[in-house]
Amino acid sequence: MDGNHAPHSNQHQPSPERDGSFSYDIESMDGGGGGLRGAASEALLRFDDDDSGGGPREPLLRKRTMNTTSQIAIVGANVFPIESLDYEIVENDLFKQDWRSRKKKQIFQYVVLKWALVLLIGLLTGLVGFFNNLAVENIAGFKLLITGELMLQNRYFVAFLAYGGCNLVLGATAAAICAYIAPAAAGSGIPEVKAYLNGVDAYSILAPSTLFVKIFGSILGVSAGFVLGKEGPMVHTGACIANLLGQGGSRKYHLTCNWLKYFKNDRDRRDLITCGAAAGVAAAFRAPVGGVLFALEEAASWWRSALLWRTFFTTAVVAVVLKALIEFCRSGKCGLFGQGGLIMFDLSSNIPTYGTQDVIAIIILGIIGGVFGGLFNFLLDRILRVYSIINERGAPLKILLTITISIITSACSYGLPWLAPCTPCPVGSMEECPTIGRSGNYKSFQCPPGHYNGLASLFFNTNDDAIRNLFSRGTANEFHMSSLFVFFTAIYCLGLLTYGIAVPSGLFIPVILAGATYGRIVGTLLGPMSDLDPGLFALLGAASFLGGTMRMTVSVCVILLELTNELHMLPLVMLVLLISKTIADCFNKGVYDQIVVMKGLPFMEAHAEPYMRQLVASDVVSGPLISFSGVEKVGNIVQALRITGHNGFPVVDEPPLSEAPELVGLVLRSHLLVLLNGKNFMKDKVKTSGSFVLRRFGAFDFAKAGSGKGMKVEDLDFTDEEMEMYVDLHPITNTSPYTVVETMSLAKAAVLFRSLGLRHLLVVPKTPGRHPIVGILTRHDLMPEHILGLFPNLRKSH
């Protein structure tokens, strides 16, 4: 790097490097992919940390190259750069001194703070979950009460205007705050959390503004009658709460805590966010064990026993908080929040028995769930691509799309029950018939006294109450077969149309609703031939559809059992989940995996692709790379930082600093910026003891800033004289980076990279006498698109 680089911005030009190789000047990512304009334009998707100068990567979203972090952005809204996360411990001199100087008191303080944080995450997530349900039940309940009162007065058109108008205002408000304040809050948020825990950081996915919109947008969206749930957004909400606490608050919003400095690193934040995701599921479903298993099976990419304890503790706190608050509301102090609210469908009135014909029916249910789940994922993929054309044109059209879906949903919810016949109230019913008030099994709608409308009992309720009605036992003849078919068709289609609008929206509730409906259809068809109640078939149908769309088994099984308190159904739920997942896997990936791919998020699977065994590590390294000397000229470092977006740089000592060229380690971009800002420069190129750096800086000076607010190269200002001086990089260089030999199988290298949660994997030569480093493997280099782009012939074997 003794030779200066000629600065430029738009072309990749080789320039000589000290060791005889070349280094590419790579356009900085700070512009976020500027130049993307118009529907047909194409942009390069580049990583902030493509340390080896990687080329473009194209996610599978139409033909445009997009990298976005929200459901709306994925289908065409905005392009932002993404970064990998640093889960590796940087073992430099500062780190070693910090650990040597730590006393037992500080270690104890760290452990206590970590447990205190997971306690806070559980408390706050539980409170937010309760607040969400309290708000939804009161807002939606008030809307339904007004509509019901107008219908009792035979003012049916006015009732529709009131019902549709309320839905329209609520939906448009949710879309507006999402489109203008935090576009990353749209969708469920589970794919983003899953990608983050895999090591991918994207713009604003866990920001305080996203948390705000996630909470209030979800409340407004669910209250607006959309076919969506608040359960997926609760996972994202829990992760946002954990991130806010883990990074010590937010400087932007003047919410900071210096005593949380211990957690200003990606490893600890990853653990806290895993706890937050588990807490979100526990708060959404009142399923603490299901929350832990969800984090283990679906969300987290790395797991260890200590994390299991913390997530379990977090979800236990959530369960206690919710139990206490629900008991408080039983006294009637929470408005319309009471019997409804946090979904709990108790089916455990007696022990079910089942015979061979029931097992055959359940196998058929599993097959139906697999086929419907695969079809659902396929259609959702196509619909999101169509929505991209609309959503990329700006916030007003996002809101207009939401308003359109709101009108369609209101028309279906209010109009379709008119097609259903009125049914006489059952004699000796345990519940009031027809239902007077907000929720219940028997809605009168337009029917005369003593009659109810079965389809209205499903449509004219909150989604939670509709599920409760479908799961209800002892109501075998409550719903006409025609009503169930109409409801299933409407929910299936509306669920597809709704997911993708600019509103925080979850998929769990639409999937449970649709699955429970066709499960009840099967149970009703079997009738006297079956020993199982149609309500139990509804539970099994919901499980089959969840397995067919989400492709989760263990966590969904436990969540459903905790929801329904029906432990005796465990073998049947397990069977139907395994069958539906197996069938659906023959068609496509799970819905969250599909969305991760569509967003262009570089998610690393736990297994290597088969074609990777035909390659070695050096085959895919993008080069030539930029490296620094252990004592490097300030101007060379500044120039490299300005013309590249690289996050890490190899440090190589050469004579006279060493007898022969040797790899010292890896230095991070963020650490270089802090060191340069301290201006500890020398006039001569000599290796120092590093004592000044150890006295001048502490380990926390190099801690990661929250939400991307770290120092940038543009913040540095040097005189011409300072640019000609030298700086010793040894004290801040990670002297024990992970390395692999260049001839290692790419499949093994990929598994190693994923298993250790790395951001950089250094490739070293097999034979002596060569330059001590061949290149750096980053996440980008291990992506299928990059590898198959370099070796197109592998597509045939792919």
Side-chain angles (χ1 to χ4, degrees):
M1 289 287 293
D2 291 336
N4 292 329
H5 294 276
H8 59 277
S9 60
N10 295 323
Q11 297 180 351
H12 292 199
Q13 298 177 351
S15 57
E17 222 213 302
R18 105 173 53 73
D19 57 2
S21 64
F22 292 88
S23 68
Y24 279 118
D25 291 354
I26 300 176
E27 186 176 355
S28 173
M29 283 302 300
D30 295 337
L36 248 183
R37 298 292 183 270
S41 60
E42 300 224 350
L44 285 180
L45 172 62
R46 297 158 308 221
F47 297 96
D48 260 348
D49 64 317
D50 276 352
D51 313 79
S52 49
R57 172 174 180 264
E58 298 188 9
L60 306 177
L61 181 61
R62 297 202 284 137
K63 289 189 177 179
R64 259 162 301 168
T65 307
M66 309 292 291
N67 172 43
T68 54
T69 60
S70 70
Q71 189 61 45
I72 301 304
I74 176 189
V75 287
N78 295 307
V79 177
F80 290 108
I82 57 177
E83 288 193 19
S84 292
L85 298 169
D86 282 316
Y87 291 152
E88 181 185 358
I89 294 176
V90 179
E91 294 186 357
N92 55 26
D93 292 347
L94 284 165
F95 172 84
K96 294 171 184 175
Q97 179 185 336
D98 178 63
W99 271 104
R100 284 194 298 265
S101 63
R102 280 195 183 184
K103 300 177 181 177
K104 289 185 177 180
K105 177 183 177 182
Q106 291 174 304
I107 297 172
F108 178 75
Q109 183 183 24
Y110 168 78
V111 174
V112 170
L113 279 176
K114 199 158 191 177
W115 283 100
L117 275 180
V118 296
L119 172 66
L120 272 175
I121 291 167
L123 285 171
L124 292 176
T125 307
L127 288 171
V128 170
F130 175 77
F131 171 72
N132 277 9
N133 284 274
L134 180 69
V136 167
E137 291 292 312
N138 280 282
I139 295 172
F142 183 69
K143 173 190 69 180
L144 294 171
L145 283 175
I146 291 176
T147 310
E149 288 293 328
L150 291 170
M151 294 193 73
L152 288 175
Q153 301 171 21
N154 296 327
R155 301 169 64 186
Y156 298 121
F157 184 69
V158 177
F160 172 68
L161 291 179
Y163 178 74
C166 289
N167 288 345
L168 195 67
V169 171
L170 291 169
T173 305
I177 64 172
C178 186
Y180 286 108
I181 298 177
S188 73
I190 292 177
E192 286 87 346
V193 174
K194 185 175 178 177
Y196 186 94
L197 294 177
N198 189 258
V200 179
D201 192 12
Y203 177 78
S204 196
I205 58 173
L206 298 174
S209 58
T210 303
L211 173 63
F212 171 82
V213 174
K214 208 73 184 182
I215 294 172
F216 291 99
S218 178
I219 291 171
L220 294 169
V222 176
S223 302
F226 287 121
V227 182
L228 50 81
K230 51 187 177 294
E231 287 67 32
M234 271 306 303
V235 174
H236 197 175
T237 299
C240 288
I241 291 171
N243 180 67
L244 188 64
L245 291 173
Q247 70 182 24
S250 170
R251 290 184 181 179
K252 181 179 178 181
Y253 299 100
H254 305 291
L255 301 169
T256 55
C257 298
N258 289 328
W259 52 276
L260 293 178
K261 62 184 180 180
Y262 291 112
F263 305 101
K264 287 185 176 293
N265 63 82
D266 289 330
R267 290 175 64 87
D268 284 320
R269 286 183 195 168
R270 176 187 66 189
D271 291 352
L272 293 174
I273 288 168
T274 303
C275 292
V281 173
F285 292 107
R286 286 174 63 188
V289 179
V292 175
L293 292 174
F294 173 84
L296 171 60
E297 182 180 6
E298 182 67 11
S301 293
W302 295 280
W303 197 264
R304 60 184 192 280
S305 58
L307 189 55
L308 178 67
W309 277 100
R310 290 193 179 94
T311 52
F312 188 72
F313 175 70
T314 309
T315 56
V317 171
V318 172
V320 171
V321 169
L322 292 178
K323 182 69 175 175
L325 292 172
I326 290 171
E327 288 298 323
F328 171 77
C329 284
R330 291 190 189 278
S331 60
K333 298 178 181 178
C334 300
L336 298 174
F337 180 81
Q339 188 179 11
L342 282 158
I343 54 178
M344 185 71 177
F345 317 118
D346 196 344
L347 306 181
S348 58
S349 56
N350 50 42
I351 299 175
T353 58
Y354 43 89
T356 306
Q357 71 276 14
D358 296 315
V359 175
I360 295 173
I362 288 161
I363 292 173
I364 294 172
L365 262 185
I367 296 172
I368 293 172
V371 173
F372 278 149
L375 179 63
F376 187 91
N377 292 359
F378 172 79
L379 293 175
L380 185 65
D381 179 86
R382 295 300 181 270
I383 288 171
L384 291 178
R385 292 170 192 269
V386 174
Y387 280 180
S388 70
I389 302 170
I390 302 171
N391 289 325
E392 70 177 358
R393 301 183 186 279
L397 282 184
K398 294 180 188 178
I399 298 171
L400 183 61
L401 175 62
T402 305
I403 289 173
T404 304
I405 300 300
S406 176
I407 293 172
I408 294 172
T409 305
S410 298
C412 290
S413 301
Y414 189 88
L416 291 177
W418 290 89
L419 305 177
C422 292
T423 308
C425 288
V427 179
S429 172
M430 298 289 292
E431 292 195 26
E432 184 182 21
C433 180
T435 300
I436 298 174
R438 180 186 62 83
S439 62
N441 268 47
Y442 305 102
K443 288 280 188 177
S444 62
F445 205 64
Q446 88 289 10
C447 295
H451 293 71
Y452 72 95
N453 185 318
L455 198 50
S457 300
L458 298 174
F459 271 120
F460 233 59
N461 264 319
T462 60
N463 292 333
D464 292 357
D465 286 331
I467 296 173
R468 190 173 286 106
N469 291 347
L470 288 168
F471 281 4
S472 60
R473 295 175 65 169
T475 57
N477 300 315
E478 178 181 350
F479 302 106
H480 285 280
M481 191 64 67
S482 59
S483 296
L484 291 174
F485 273 110
V486 170
F487 185 70
F488 169 73
T489 305
I491 291 299
Y492 195 92
C493 296
L494 288 174
L496 286 167
L497 292 174
T498 305
Y499 195 80
I501 61 174
V503 172
S505 52
L507 280 172
F508 274 97
I509 291 301
V511 169
I512 291 175
L513 269 175
T517 306
Y518 71 68
R520 196 170 183 100
I521 290 173
V522 172
T524 306
L525 286 173
L526 288 176
M529 293 187 295
S530 173
D531 296 327
L532 292 177
D533 188 271
L536 295 179
F537 272 104
L539 167 63
L540 294 170
S544 73
F545 202 19
L546 282 169
T549 52
M550 312 287 183
R551 313 294 161 84
M552 294 181 283
T553 52
V554 180
S555 55
V556 165
C557 181
V558 173
I559 286 171
L560 286 175
L561 294 178
E562 288 185 283
L563 270 179
T564 58
N565 198 22
E566 190 55 271
L567 189 59
H568 301 289
M569 294 294 289
L570 175 61
L572 299 183
V573 173
M574 291 172 66
L575 177 63
V576 79
L577 278 168
L578 289 170
I579 294 172
S580 62
K581 181 189 185 310
T582 303
I583 296 295
D585 280 340
C586 297
F587 300 110
N588 46 38
K589 290 185 175 183
V591 64
Y592 296 131
D593 294 324
Q594 281 191 180
I595 293 171
V596 164
V597 172
M598 291 170 60
K599 289 173 181 291
L601 298 171
F603 188 88
M604 288 202 67
E605 300 290 349
H607 61 276
E609 297 293 341
Y611 59 79
M612 289 185 177
R613 302 192 183 280
Q614 304 178 39
L615 302 172
V616 295
S618 60
D619 288 337
V620 299
V621 170
S622 300
L625 70 132
I626 296 176
S627 62
F628 294 136
S629 171
V631 180
E632 186 60 84
K633 185 182 289 186
V634 174
N636 290 342
I637 299 175
V638 173
Q639 180 74 352
L641 294 176
R642 285 176 178 170
I643 64 176
T644 72
H646 300 178
N647 174 73
F649 301 87
V651 176
V652 177
D653 270 351
E654 296 179 340
L657 298 178
S658 61
E659 293 182 1
E662 64 178 29
L663 177 66
V664 179
L666 188 80
V667 64
L668 298 182
R669 180 188 191 91
S670 58
H671 293 185
L672 285 172
L673 291 170
V674 174
L675 182 66
L676 291 176
N677 193 51
K679 296 190 175 182
N680 178 34
F681 304 147
M682 308 172 294
K683 291 186 177 180
D684 300 318
K685 188 175 182 178
V686 292
K687 185 176 179 180
T688 66
S689 63
S691 57
F692 178 84
V693 174
L694 298 178
R695 291 194 304 269
R696 170 71 173 78
F697 297 102
F700 294 121
D701 293 322
F702 294 88
K704 183 175 180 179
S707 299
K709 298 297 188 295
M711 188 179 298
K712 297 180 180 179
V713 67
E714 290 80 7
D715 301 329
L716 302 177
D717 184 27
F718 301 113
T719 63
D720 292 340
E721 182 181 359
E722 288 172 332
M723 293 286 275
E724 294 298 319
M725 298 178 75
Y726 293 87
V727 61
D728 190 356
L729 303 182
H730 291 92
I732 64 167
T733 299
N734 179 8
T735 54
S736 54
Y738 286 97
T739 61
V740 295
V741 69
E742 61 182 336
T743 55
M744 175 182 273
S745 160
L746 185 61
K748 282 190 175 183
V751 171
L752 178 69
F753 191 97
R754 163 69 158 70
S755 301
L756 295 174
L758 302 180
R759 186 171 187 175
H760 314 94
L761 184 58
L762 274 60
V763 181
V764 297
K766 184 178 181 179
T767 55
R770 297 165 54 192
H771 192 262
I773 181 166
V774 175
I776 301 179
L777 280 177
T778 64
R779 180 177 294 264
H780 163 77
D781 298 314
L782 299 171
M783 288 294 106
E785 295 86 351
H786 173 70
I787 298 170
L788 295 175
L790 293 174
F791 303 95
N793 59 308
L794 293 177
R795 292 183 184 272
K796 297 177 182 179
S797 60
H798 178 41

